[in-house]
Amino acid sequence: MELSCAMGGNAAAPPGPGPPPATTATTTGGGAGLREGEEYESLPSGATLGTHMVAGAVAGIMEHAVMYPVDSVKTRMQSLQPDPKAQYRSVLEALRRMVLTEGFWRPLRGINVTVLGAGPAHALYFACYEKIKKSLSDVFQQGGNSHLANGIAGSVATLLHDAVMNPAEVVKQRLQMFNSPYTSVLGCVRTVRRTEGFGAFYRSYTTQLTMNVPFQAIHFITYELLQEHLNPQRLYNPGSHIVAGAVAGAAAAAATTPLDVCKTLLNTQENTALSSLNIRGHLSGMANAFGTVYRLGGLPAFFKGVRARVIYQMPSTAIAWSVYEFFKYFLTQHVLERKP
């Protein structure tokens, strides 16, 4: 993904590797052609920071909303000591049983708080990523595409994303659990704040950062590397965005599953599992979470729900990138068509 996010709006992102862009107008997907000297991958100078944020927000909401039922299954499959009624062999079986025994809308419980968090979190995320990547690419590889810059930019952007998204994750995962005592977002927020304090919404923040920094570094580096081979001219190519996004999401998800299991335990404070180890009060801290997971299930416990996580992440990441790239292309065309 190559996109300028300069605050002043005059700097163009460095072109991606591969053949230089044609100097004639380019037409993609039947839309209006880009004018001479203008590239889809480098938003024109008239595009504002809001353009990047809108594209990112829409992509984030679509990513989380479309795949939310699978995310609900993933949370349950990561339970360290699940109720016998919530032990599933596959994602499809889990979805079928949830609908049949708990109601048609049960896999979607908590989607509203996820959407509320995903919009602003992804708007900040993509805008920060593009701005930092542009600045660092000029330092590390003038006029080129630096994988190191991509990795650092994705990691730093994660700090902002997780600060916004972490409270929503806590509420969402508590609503997703089998036999959850919470029936609404507001009810969950009020109960958690009253019984555990405001800090409960950020109890897993350091663990989530520890997971998401390598996740996003792997994610962005893999995506940009695949784009170099699948789409070297960096044109608007939906197929390349979908394939690169899916592969990047799968690789990053599989590699960071152990940290995701620990994050889920910290977010849900799974009572049955903690009680079996005579742990009183609330579990906190990444080291404690790692130790608890290992005591409960050994090394295999760190990969509980890995298939569901990969199945969720592949299409959701593909959706995020394809929607983001589409809106980037669409908004670029809109700005160009308004130019005299």
Side-chain angles (χ1 to χ4, degrees), residues 61-235:
I61 290 172
M62 288 291 292
E63 169 192 358
H64 286 281
V66 172
M67 296 305 298
Y68 191 83
V70 179
D71 185 52
S72 294
V73 171
K74 188 238 4 165
T75 296
R76 292 193 178 193
M77 294 183 81
Q78 287 181 335
S79 175
L80 296 171
Q81 288 193 352
D83 186 286
K85 296 179 181 178
Q87 293 180 351
Y88 313 112
R89 292 188 299 269
S90 69
V91 173
L92 288 178
E93 182 207 4
L95 286 172
R96 182 179 62 82
R97 285 172 55 185
M98 286 174 70
V99 170
L100 291 177
T101 61
E102 302 174 60
F104 181 79
W105 299 107
R106 185 62 181 89
L108 294 176
R109 183 182 293 178
I111 191 174
N112 47 350
V113 71
T114 300
V115 169
L116 286 174
H122 281 73
L124 290 172
Y125 179 82
F126 277 101
C128 179
Y129 168 72
E130 297 293 355
K131 174 61 178 176
I132 294 175
K133 186 183 75 171
K134 167 64 175 65
S135 300
L136 292 182
S137 290
D138 289 342
V139 173
F140 295 143
Q141 191 172 334
Q142 183 69 37
N145 179 38
S146 168
H147 295 310
L148 179 59
N150 297 336
I152 294 175
S155 299
V156 174
T158 300
L159 295 172
L160 283 177
H161 173 276
D162 287 359
V164 175
M165 200 66 190
N166 207 89
E169 280 283 316
V170 172
V171 175
K172 176 201 75 173
Q173 290 199 299
R174 295 198 180 205
L175 288 166
Q176 288 174 332
M177 292 296 287
F178 181 75
N179 275 343
S180 171
Y182 311 106
T183 57
S184 69
V185 170
L186 286 178
C188 181
V189 171
R190 289 168 181 160
T191 301
V192 172
R193 185 178 61 83
R194 184 179 67 253
T195 60
E196 302 177 43
F198 182 77
F201 295 106
Y202 284 94
R203 188 177 286 134
S204 65
Y205 184 55
T206 54
T207 302
Q208 184 147 322
L209 282 178
T210 305
M211 175 186 72
N212 280 344
V213 168
F215 177 96
Q216 298 301 351
I218 294 170
H219 169 200
F220 278 108
I221 290 172
T222 304
Y223 180 84
E224 297 284 359
L225 183 63
L226 288 171
Q227 282 293 294
E228 287 183 9
H229 295 282
L230 298 175
N231 188 17
Q233 291 184 311
R234 299 301 177 121
L235 303 175

Side-chain angles (χ1 to χ4, degrees), residues 54 71 232 292 315:
V54 169
D71 185 52
T292 302

